[in-house]
Amino acid sequence: MDGFLDAQTIEIALRRDNGEGGVTEDRSMQLICLEQLGMELVMSSDVNEIFAKFPAPRFLPVLCDILLDEGTPENILELTARAITYFLDVDLSV
């Protein structure tokens, strides 16, 4: 399944990296990327392909960081929790 954004772009947006070693306060791209990540995890029929594209050891720590950030808005927390759940569901289906 080809999405709009590649995995590297999604990872950078989830980290909110501004490209200059800092963090951007704009969460709109983070929201979009969480929606796409969740959709790709749910819609993928090939477990090997999804873990090749979104390696859990790279993405799960980023998602956990979002959950631990006290400034994270509720809508972002919800999408993050869903993405983690989808990772676990995909992993359990192997």
Side-chain angles (χ1 to χ4, degrees):
M1 173 177 181
D2 265 346
F4 298 111
L5 303 170
D6 60 63
Q8 183 178 9
T9 302
I10 291 174
E11 182 182 6
I12 290 169
L14 291 178
R15 291 182 189 278
R16 294 185 355 209
D17 185 345
N18 68 5
E20 299 171 5
V23 173
T24 178
E25 292 304 315
D26 181 18
R27 291 194 184 258
S28 59
M29 190 64 174
Q30 190 180 43
L31 180 70
I32 291 166
C33 288
L34 281 166
E35 289 172 342
Q36 181 177 329
L37 176 62
M39 184 173 40
E40 289 202 41
L41 289 169
V42 167
M43 301 301 284
S44 178
S45 59
D46 185 344
V47 173
N48 294 325
E49 179 185 322
I50 204 68
F51 279 131
K53 184 173 182 178
F54 302 109
R58 232 175 66 208
F59 279 85
L60 284 174
V62 175
L63 295 171
C64 289
D65 287 344
I66 294 170
L67 288 179
L68 293 172
D69 179 356
E70 292 181 13
T72 303
E74 195 172 309
N75 61 339
I76 300 284
L77 288 173
E78 181 181 342
L79 289 172
T80 302
R82 281 187 193 169
I84 291 171
T85 302
Y86 297 154
F87 261 114
L88 296 175
D89 285 347
V90 169
D91 192 38
L92 291 174
S93 69
V94 175

